[in-house]
Structures are given as structure tokens and as C-alpha cells.
Amino acid sequence: MDPAAYGEMRELEDHHWWFAGRRRVAHALVDGALRTRPGARLLEVGCGTGGNLAWIERTWRGVRAVGLDVDPRALEHTQARGLCSGLVAGDGLRLPVRSGSVDVLLAFDVIEHFADEAALLDEFARVLAPSGVLLASVPAYPALWSPHDDFLHHQRRYRTGELEARLTARGLVVERSHGFNFLLLPPIAAARALMSRRNAGPRSDFFTLPGPINRALGGIFALEALLLAALPVRFGLSFMLRAAQPSAPPARRG
């Protein structure tokens, strides 16, 4: 990524309707993980310019948060926020973290960037403490592949239940899973299909919008958060889940 793009990313991450909306929708999952774990050791893999870490620190007190990103330039922007979090430059495939030492692992829109998904998920399972939880989001439906995915260097989009099955195969227990950005699914899917037919080059869907439009789109996510509290919505432009490491390894059958 161009160095100048990190400043733009930081601004978008703080105010853009999609990033703010993802935090709003994720609040219930994160709260369920942190409220019962005072002093939790949290690791965010792919922390970028620090928007999620800033949100964590101002919303849940006492969390011992560490942000990891492969690009030191991204971490410079995170550090400039004045967060108390520790910051580490490192690769998700070789997490510089002791086995069983993480209470909460945050991976929002990270997993789809790794060609070796299996090795990444193995690392997640390795570092999670007994009863530790993974909070993750991924883009949904291969049919929705668009120039936006090319621009972000995605390796894949996920089918319903696909990530859950791969985590279950590693011994994790999926506690909750749902779609998000489901209210805007029809118009965004139509727009992406149109761009794909036009053979548009790689381009991002993230750009600054006029304030009233940005607030209106953010309001749609506020409605989604209310609906998710009452309904098991299983579709959307993305999936979000919480999966837990068992409190003890399963007994071996002799």
C-alpha cells in the first residue's frame, strides 16, 4: 500500500459508515467476550491503523490489548493515536505469541487476505488460551467477487458455514455466527455485478461520502444491530462469528 494511503485509511476507519457500522454490529460479540473476562489479554491480528484498538480501549476498561500488523507503516499510525496498547510487527502465520496465552483474538476482515488459510487458523487455535475466544469477520459469497476484492488483495470470499466448519475441525466451538451488511445486500450486489461485467480494474468501495449520506448508511447498521439482537440472520455481504477454545482438550479415546 502506498504510504500516503495509510493516512486516508485512518480517517476512513474512524468515521466511514462501513467501519463504524462493523464496530456497531460487532459490539454484542465483543462485549460477550470481554465483559466476563476482566483484564483479558487481547490480540488483534491485522490491526491496521488502530481503529478497532481505539474502540476497544475506550469501551472496555482494563483490557490488555496488543495489536499486530505485518506493515510497520500501519503501526506508526496506530502508535500516533496514543493508545496504551502494545504494538508488534509480525506475520499472522508465525504469531510471536506463546501458545495458550490469548484470551480474546480479534481478526476482522483479515483471514481472507491469507493464501495459506489453514496455517493461519492453526496459529489462531495455538495461541488461544483455554476458554479463549476468536472474534472474526470475513466477506461472504464467492459470487459477489468484484474489483473491490481485487483491490484489497483478497484470496477468497466465504460460503455460509464454511469458516465455521474449518474452525470446528480445529477443536473450536462456534458460539454465535451471523451475517452483517444484510440490509444493503441487494443494491450492493447489483452494483458489484455491474462493475464485474464492465471489467473494471481493481478499485475500492471505500471512499469519503457527504456527511448526511454517511450518517444515513450508518443508521442502517444501527438497525441491523437491533435486528441481530432478536433474529438469527444468516446472510449478508459479510459473516461474523465468535468461536471458543474448549476449557480443556478433548479426552482421547483409548
Side-chain angles (χ1 to χ4, degrees), residues 112 139-158 189 192-193 195-197:
E112 67 272 14
Y141 310 131
L144 290 180
W145 191 273
S146 76
H148 177 74
D149 297 283
D150 293 324
F151 180 84
L152 294 177
H153 299 159
H154 287 172
Q155 299 293 319
R156 69 193 71 81
R157 299 182 71 94
Y158 285 80
R192 289 188 175 180
M195 284 192 297
S196 294
R197 284 199 297 272

Side-chain angles (χ1 to χ4, degrees), residues 74-162:
L75 297 178
E76 289 174 5
H77 284 274
T78 303
Q79 189 174 34
R81 293 176 181 271
L83 301 176
C84 297
S85 308
L87 299 174
V88 179
D91 186 349
L93 298 178
R94 295 178 293 277
L95 292 173
V97 177
R98 296 193 315 275
S99 299
S101 65
V102 175
D103 298 311
V104 178
L105 196 156
L106 206 65
F108 284 164
D109 292 280
V110 167
I111 299 171
E112 67 272 14
H113 290 272
F114 284 80
D116 194 347
E117 178 209 60
L120 180 71
L121 298 184
D122 286 344
E123 275 291 89
F124 287 179
R126 177 185 69 81
V127 302
L128 279 175
S131 300
V133 297
L134 166 66
L135 306 170
S137 65
V138 293
Y141 310 131
L144 290 180
W145 191 273
S146 76
H148 177 74
D149 297 283
D150 293 324
F151 180 84
L152 294 177
H153 299 159
H154 287 172
Q155 299 293 319
R156 69 193 71 81
R157 299 182 71 94
Y158 285 80
R159 297 175 178 84
T160 302
E162 190 172 13

Side-chain angles (χ1 to χ4, degrees), residues 175-240:
E175 298 179 331
R176 190 178 177 195
S177 176
H178 60 72
F180 79 96
N181 206 358
F182 49 85
L183 294 176
L184 291 172
L185 175 59
I188 293 178
R192 289 188 175 180
L194 180 61
M195 284 192 297
S196 294
R197 284 199 297 272
R198 289 180 174 177
N199 295 317
R203 52 172 290 182
S204 175
D205 288 353
F206 299 142
F207 49 86
T208 301
L209 291 169
I213 297 176
N214 194 66
R215 288 190 292 274
L217 292 171
I220 291 174
F221 274 88
L223 178 57
E224 285 201 4
L226 292 174
L227 292 173
L228 286 168
L231 300 172
V233 179
R234 295 287 293 160
F235 62 92
L237 280 160
S238 298
F239 297 128
M240 186 173 289

Side-chain angles (χ1 to χ4, degrees), residues 38-50:
R41 299 161 295 180
L42 180 145
L43 172 67
E44 183 180 13
V45 177
C47 67
T49 59

